[in-house]
Amino acid sequence: MTRMSIRDALNRAHQDLMAADDTIVVIGEDIAGGAGVKGGAELGGVFGVTRGLGAKFGEGRVIDTPISEASFIGMATGAAMTGLKPIVELMFSDFIGVAFDQILNQAAKARFLANGRFDLPLVIRTTMGAGDSSAAMHSQSLYGVLAQIPGLMVACPSTPADAAGLLKAAVGSPDPVVLFEHKGLYGHEGDVADDLPAVPLGKGRLVTEGESATVVALGAMRHAAEAAVTSLEARGISIDLIDPRTIVPLDLTLIANSVKKTGHLVVVDEGTDFGGFADAVISAVARDHFGALKAAPVAVTPPHTPIPYGRAGEHAWLPHADTITAAILALLDMQETA
Amino acid sequence: MTLDDLKPLFEKAHFIRAFEHEIAALSEAGDVPGLVHLCLGAELFEVALCANLEGPGDQVTGSHRSHGLALAMGADPVAVAAEILGRTGGLSEGLGGTQHLLAPEVGFLTSNGIVGGQVPLAAGAALSAKTLKTGGIGVAVMGDGATNQGAVFETMNLAVALKLPLLFVIENNGLGQSTSAHYASGGISPMARARGFGLAASHVEGGDITGCLKTVDRLVSWVRETGSPALVEASVPRLSGHYHGDEQLYRSAADSQPDPLEQFEDTLLRAGATATECHTIKTGAHAAAKAAVTAANQQADTSDEAVARWATRLGGAA
Ligand SMILES: Cc1ncc(C[n+]2csc(CCOP(=O)(O)OP(=O)(O)O)c2C)c(N)n1
């Protein structure tokens, strides 16, 4: 066991994977950095995740690109169809817009259209999350949008072990996988087993165990929810907190079994209040386990607006631990200050 | 260009420089919410460009690095600063911030968080001007890095195919974040690419005020009169990090470039201005910039109220 940050765990996972398999290439903007600039040092990506890879594996395998997301994501898709295992870094998930055809129509559909005659081991790592005043075009959590597209696997790690483990699983997956890393969590530390074991796609984790309600949360919201759960412990309220870790495939069994026990469901989602992850979970539970629910399920999401820049606006926009606490208490029909 | 024509431009360029320094200082003090991409090195060119434009008939769109352009088009400096600070009185009450400055009232349609995202929008402004016969033009300002975006290539072609009164402006500072244009940009210059699409194209040095004014005037007049697109590439230094606080370890100290504002001052001195005159203009500009940014910094942050108003308007789930 070693304690390390999500950034370092991802970096180590890249090192392990690339050392073991020389068909893995890493592609993105500024991921080695300083390309063509004389005399400078390596940047290693704007969040430092790929630092050192360029020096170790060379520019043939750590490929800095022009600011051309449509072409380099399409290139990575084609390469994944023809023998390479590309890991693409898309600096911010907000930039997916300029590359969307290559993801939505090309990467997501190629295996289906070939009726599975080839694997498409493409991994797109990208960032998400508000909280640092990066504003409307550098803060979105677009996992729900991608999860709607059949053919893509979508995961959102919230701990160092899961980040490294999901990256490993993603590289081994025959289907394209998009990993959403929360910008605010890169420095988040946790214990990681020395061999950085893969975390299977589609397997959620029960973070805390309890009786009163089921709370489903991922990414940074998992940590906000954990804080809410801790604050409720003092009042004798215990919670099943589930971090599904992957959205597609989703561990509905874990969620359903918990709801059958607690009868109460809260889903926390930084993505969107309409037709997103929270709505999908609530809809699935309501359809299949309506009888288990003792009250209407609750979605805790930001309001339906772009992400504001000003500090007060962004703070008000984001769900926080106290928002989640209040939602759980309201669901359980309890006063906020008892 | 007489000395009297040049002095206000010198003053404006220094105002922008000082404005950026004030923002940088507030950023260090923790008063600026987001990362700011300063335009240090491009002020002279931007002032020369906008001297040939008139909003709101002409509409300019810019990149993430657009504080100077918004100011050069005549946006209220207190409102620009307040937006960058995320405060009340900001252009959009702090909803947009440093990368999302919108002042269409004065001809600065929008800046952008997405590299190249602003370029098709300027084609739209050009289409409006053409269709509505306003006599205005669209102007798309971008960095050299943006020229590798598909939307930019598409817009160059579209502007030629549809004959749009659109001026493409490339501020070539040789860098996109940490990556050099030399590495990223397929060997040929933005101008050569533009000519490949059939655009009229010229190059200017960002430290040459008379050259910038003359070339921009010629191209703007051509776009206005013929209704056809053109491109101007300006070589400008990036005198700062990609954003303020960028340590730039990827860059060696040796690549320091001359400061266009010093070159501008030399031009003035050669044209007969005295050192005292230049000094007076600069101190005045610095004081004015400080006053504007300080006034903005005294405003409250009410962006929570601003976003709440939108939450009820956009029709999300209740
Ligand atoms: C589509 C997209 N890709 C990447 C980025 C991240 N990014 C922001 S600015 C920048 C460099 C832009 O370089 P250039 O266009 O030359 O402008 P400069 O910063 O030099 O003014 C990058 C890569 C982005 N904002 N949008």
Side-chain angles (χ1 to χ4, degrees):
Chain A
M1 281 286 184
T2 314
R3 203 168 168 75
M4 64 176 84
S5 66
I6 288 187
R7 175 187 290 108
D8 291 344
L10 283 166
N11 185 273
R12 278 248 342 249
H14 276 89
Q15 310 250 11
D16 288 4
L17 286 160
M18 293 182 79
D21 181 347
D22 56 19
T23 65
I24 295 174
V25 294
V26 183
I27 299 170
E29 290 159 20
D30 303 283
I31 55 166
V37 180
K38 284 190 196 75
E42 192 181 339
L43 179 73
V46 296
F47 298 101
V49 170
T50 52
R51 196 160 290 154
L53 299 182
K56 190 157 171 186
F57 298 104
E59 61 183 27
R61 292 183 64 196
V62 181
I63 303 169
D64 271 333
T65 66
I67 311 170
S68 306
E69 289 84 359
S71 62
F72 72 73
I73 289 182
M75 174 179 78
T77 302
M81 291 158 72
T82 51
L84 291 179
K85 292 181 187 151
I87 304 175
V88 173
E89 177 170 296
L90 178 66
M91 203 185 282
F92 291 79
S93 66
D94 313 67
F95 307 164
I96 234 161
V98 300
F100 211 24
D101 174 63
Q102 293 300 323
I103 297 171
L104 148 84
N105 286 316
Q106 313 310 330
K109 295 176 176 45
R111 288 199 75 221
F112 174 82
L113 295 174
N115 199 20
R117 275 174 292 144
F118 51 74
D119 290 352
L120 205 158
L122 167 70
V123 181
I124 300 175
R125 294 180 37 250
T126 190
T127 65
M128 63 169 172
D132 58 2
S133 297
S134 292
M137 300 185 196
H138 288 73
S139 308
Q140 298 169 84
S141 294
L142 295 171
Y143 45 76
V145 176
L146 291 192
Q148 284 204 346
I149 301 165
L152 299 177
M153 306 291 136
V154 180
C156 303
S158 66
T159 67
D162 287 351
L166 287 167
L167 178 64
K168 286 201 167 170
V171 168
S173 164
D175 297 299
V177 181
V178 187
L179 292 179
F180 282 85
E181 298 159 10
H182 200 286
K183 284 181 284 163
L185 293 182
Y186 276 125
H188 178 85
E189 293 191 347
D191 289 332
V192 180
D194 293 331
D195 60 340
L196 305 177
V199 170
L201 297 167
K203 228 173 145 21
R205 175 206 294 276
L206 191 57
V207 180
T208 64
E209 211 173 334
E211 305 295 327
S212 311
T214 301
V215 176
V216 179
L218 42 75
M221 289 300 120
R222 170 231 155 119
H223 297 288
E226 219 173 329
V229 168
T230 309
S231 77
L232 289 170
E233 265 167 20
R235 304 182 52 171
I237 300 168
S238 69
I239 304 286
D240 259 3
L241 172 59
I242 293 172
D243 178 355
R245 306 193 285 191
T246 50
I247 298 182
V248 181
L250 182 63
D251 193 347
L252 272 171
T253 312
L254 181 66
I255 296 169
N257 286 342
S258 170
V259 173
K260 280 189 237 163
K261 176 177 69 175
T262 65
H264 292 104
L265 175 63
V266 176
V267 188
V268 193
D269 177 7
E270 193 180 332
T272 178
D273 76 319
F274 186 85
F277 167 69
D279 282 359
V281 172
I282 288 171
S283 149
V285 169
R287 275 180 292 172
D288 297 343
H289 306 283
F290 190 70
L293 290 165
K294 295 180 192 150
V298 173
V300 178
T301 67
H304 196 69
T305 71
I307 298 163
Y309 169 81
R311 285 188 176 129
E314 191 187 38
H315 186 83
W317 186 89
L318 263 177
H320 301 279
D322 54 0
T323 336
I324 301 167
T325 306
I328 296 170
L329 288 171
L331 174 63
L332 298 177
D333 218 2
M334 296 171 76
Q335 295 302 314
E336 224 175 295
T337 49
Chain B
M1 274 288 149
T2 68
L3 195 51
D4 284 341
D5 294 326
L6 291 177
K7 279 183 195 163
L9 300 179
F10 184 70
E11 181 174 3
K12 198 157 202 175
H14 269 283
F15 179 87
I16 295 171
R17 170 70 55 93
F19 181 96
E20 293 290 63
H21 282 311
E22 293 296 328
I23 294 292
L26 291 187
S27 170
E28 278 160 35
D31 291 334
V32 183
L35 289 181
V36 285
H37 303 79
L38 305 178
C39 69
L40 307 180
E43 305 92 335
L44 181 162
F45 172 72
E46 290 178 352
V47 163
L49 170 69
C50 298
N52 285 282
L53 301 173
E54 195 167 329
D58 297 331
Q59 288 286 346
V60 178
T61 67
S63 73
H64 52 288
R65 200 180 299 287
S66 282
H67 299 173
L69 276 175
L71 294 171
M73 282 306 288
D76 171 26
V78 180
V80 174
E83 189 60 33
I84 296 165
L85 291 161
R87 307 294 172 78
T88 192
L91 290 168
S92 304
E93 298 292 314
L95 288 177
T98 164
Q99 296 199 58
H100 310 287
L101 303 172
L102 289 89
E105 305 82 3
V106 298
F108 189 71
L109 184 55
T110 185
S111 63
N112 221 285
I114 301 299
V115 168
Q118 74 276 20
V119 177
L121 300 176
L127 179 66
S128 287
K130 175 181 174 176
T131 310
L132 302 174
K133 299 186 172 46
T134 64
I137 69 170
V139 180
V141 183
M142 74 204 89
D144 48 278
T147 61
N148 295 319
Q149 277 289 336
V152 173
F153 282 99
E154 291 184 20
T155 307
M156 285 188 183
N157 182 59
L158 188 74
V160 174
L162 302 186
K163 199 165 186 276
L164 297 176
L166 175 57
L167 180 67
F168 294 88
V169 178
I170 316 291
E171 291 184 348
N172 191 345
N173 61 18
L175 286 170
Q177 204 135 340
S178 81
T179 303
S180 81
H182 176 70
Y183 170 85
S185 283
I188 50 171
S189 73
M191 264 204 319
R193 287 188 187 180
R195 288 184 180 143
F197 282 108
L199 287 158
S202 289
H203 172 265
V204 296
E205 283 299 333
D208 171 11
I209 184 66
T210 40
C212 285
L213 285 166
K214 212 189 294 173
T215 301
V216 170
D217 175 46
R218 183 167 51 77
L219 287 175
V220 166
S221 305
W222 194 80
V223 170
R224 220 184 277 291
E225 281 153 27
T226 65
S228 301
L231 178 141
V232 59
E233 175 191 359
S235 293
V236 295
R238 195 182 86 191
L239 297 177
S240 54
H242 174 60
Y243 54 87
H244 184 67
D246 176 7
E247 290 179 83
Q248 302 197 83
L249 298 176
Y250 51 83
R251 217 173 166 188
S252 79
D255 76 352
S256 69
Q257 292 155 286
D259 182 345
L261 292 195
E262 285 168 17
Q263 295 170 278
F264 196 170
E265 190 161 339
D266 288 343
T267 308
L268 290 186
L269 293 173
R270 274 200 310 275
T274 66
T276 321
E277 267 179 296
C278 290
H279 182 75
T280 309
I281 295 173
K282 285 194 283 188
T283 20
H286 294 181
K290 192 178 178 69
V293 175
T294 306
N297 201 28
Q298 281 157 0
Q299 300 293 326
D301 177 354
T302 58
S303 55
D304 50 343
E305 293 163 27
V307 73
R309 286 192 290 275
W310 279 99
T312 51
R313 285 184 60 179
L314 291 180

